[in-house]
Amino acid sequence: MDHKSENTAVTEIAGMNPSESVSGLYSAIEESARLLEVPCSPGKVLPILTVYGEALPDAVVAFRVATGERHAGELDCRFSIPLDVDPYGLAVSNGFIADTDHPAGTLLSDIRDRCPLDCYGIDFGVVGGLKKIWAVLRRGHLQEVSRLAALPSMPRGLGESVDFFARHRLGDKAGLLGIDYRSRTVNVYFGEQPAECFEPETVRSMLDELGQGEPSEQMLTLARRAFGIYVTLNWDSPKLERICFAVATADPTELPVPLDPRIERFVSHIRNSNTDPKFVYAVASSPQGEYYKLQSYHRWQPRVLDMMQLADGAVKDPV
């Protein structure tokens, strides 16, 4: 399949029936995986697409690739699904993830029972299988961090970090949460951050307080251009595990930082096959060091960043 035909296969998913949507999206995944030298097996990918296939004709779809040893050899795909689908129940009943008595297994239902939601999202690796389920809060209904921290199955680190968020002006509200069932972590996306939150002094102060060392100049440069922040927590520590800064762009090669060769190849591929490319390029801190992530939107809607990347209120025009 050439680049132009791949672009057609992806962008014309809207209006197709579910089976056509599944085959079209699989073709796009397979082509991107081939470019990145990531093994792509129909037996691994098609079951996930098929189970959630009824939602695909209207879904927002994005691909993501990341740097670092733990992310090598993987391509992630994520797509939105409506509220009338039970994402966790389907994932468990189809063997994509194991049911568990760990708090990760009940967090999604806690969020659904107590917060107004817009939709869910499914996030899976071409190699690793289903990883995350996203809970996207209803537009205009950001939730106070203290309210989210009070959820019975939320990692305690969220509540214990409220003062940290206030000191560094991350805000007191969030609009998107992602539950990773394999790594047993939670992503919390903040909204309504002031510009000071992205300044080098603030970034340095945050990482120093978390014991993650001095940020690189590349990280500081990207953070100053970021439009949103999210944090990662786990159930084993009261500290935040990671902080990530996200930059929206139509061309990541024009960012004032070098790109990893693998990501640069991916960018070139997308830009050659799409007349209106949209990307989010992000840098994440962690105790193991910084790493970088590129997300490319293959199915775009005006509300896409609300749904798939950052909380309502944090979004700026990405192009």
Side-chain angles (χ1 to χ4, degrees):
M1 177 181 293
D2 62 27
H3 293 323
K4 294 300 182 184
S5 59
E6 181 215 346
N7 186 50
T8 300
V10 177
T11 58
E12 290 185 356
I13 290 174
M16 290 183 177
N17 64 44
S19 62
E20 291 173 325
S21 297
V22 168
S23 61
L25 181 53
Y26 179 76
S27 294
I29 292 171
E30 186 178 50
E31 175 66 11
S32 293
R34 181 197 61 75
L35 176 83
L36 293 165
E37 299 180 351
V38 172
C40 182
S41 165
K44 177 75 73 170
V45 175
L46 283 176
I48 296 174
L49 299 184
T50 301
V51 164
Y52 298 103
E54 292 290 334
L56 288 179
D58 300 312
V60 174
V61 180
F63 295 164
R64 195 196 75 169
V65 62
T67 64
E69 184 176 345
R70 68 185 290 258
H71 305 286
E74 183 65 287
L75 170 68
D76 294 330
C77 177
R78 45 189 60 177
F79 54 85
S80 60
I81 59 174
L83 291 178
D84 60 0
V85 176
D86 177 7
Y88 182 79
L90 285 174
V92 170
S93 64
N94 285 277
F96 302 149
I97 56 175
D99 197 10
T100 176
D101 58 4
H102 187 276
T106 55
L107 181 54
L108 185 65
S109 61
D110 283 350
I111 296 169
R112 181 180 59 232
D113 292 345
R114 294 165 175 81
C115 302
L117 298 182
D118 180 78
C119 67
Y120 300 113
I122 297 296
D123 192 333
F124 71 94
V126 171
V127 175
L130 194 143
K131 299 177 181 177
K132 297 180 185 179
I133 295 176
W134 300 89
V136 186
L137 273 71
R138 192 175 303 157
R139 190 175 183 85
H141 290 267
L142 295 177
Q143 293 293 297
E144 293 182 359
V145 171
S146 58
R147 176 177 171 80
L148 294 173
L151 296 176
S153 50
M154 181 66 71
R156 64 190 176 98
L158 187 62
E160 295 190 16
S161 299
V162 168
D163 289 343
F164 174 91
F165 301 144
R167 279 194 300 278
H168 300 292
R169 302 187 180 185
L170 270 71
D172 62 352
K173 293 184 178 180
L176 175 62
L177 299 101
I179 306 163
D180 190 319
Y181 295 95
R182 296 188 183 276
S183 67
R184 291 185 172 175
T185 58
V186 180
N187 301 138
V188 179
Y189 292 72
F190 285 85
E192 303 176 348
Q193 299 101 338
E196 294 88 346
C197 188
F198 303 99
E199 292 298 322
E201 297 78 10
T202 306
V203 176
R204 287 192 179 99
S205 178
M206 284 192 285
L207 298 189
D208 180 66
E209 187 170 341
L210 295 176
Q212 295 189 4
E214 177 71 13
S216 69
E217 286 302 315
Q218 180 165 320
M219 183 177 196
L220 295 174
T221 299
L222 286 172
R224 294 192 74 162
R225 297 184 57 159
F227 68 94
I229 295 175
Y230 72 86
V231 299
T232 302
L233 310 100
N234 63 57
W235 280 269
D236 298 325
S237 171
K239 276 194 169 185
L240 303 179
E241 184 175 305
R242 291 190 297 272
I243 296 180
C244 185
F245 300 88
V247 179
T249 177
D251 184 3
T253 64
E254 294 186 351
L255 293 174
V257 294
L259 297 181
D260 179 89
R262 182 167 175 257
I263 287 182
E264 192 164 10
R265 269 201 322 274
F266 185 65
V267 169
S268 177
H269 168 68
I270 296 300
R271 287 182 55 79
N272 287 336
S273 61
N274 194 326
T275 58
D276 186 25
K278 294 176 174 65
F279 301 92
V280 170
Y281 189 64
V283 54
S285 75
S286 77
Q288 294 75 40
E290 299 171 8
Y291 66 97
Y292 297 82
K293 303 178 283 187
L294 181 94
Q295 180 158 294
S296 169
Y297 290 93
H298 281 267
R299 287 284 307 286
W300 176 267
Q301 296 178 13
R303 62 190 178 120
V304 65
L305 291 178
D306 290 342
M307 298 174 61
M308 299 293 288
Q309 185 62 34
L310 293 168
D312 179 29
V315 178
K316 299 177 184 176
D317 185 355
V319 292

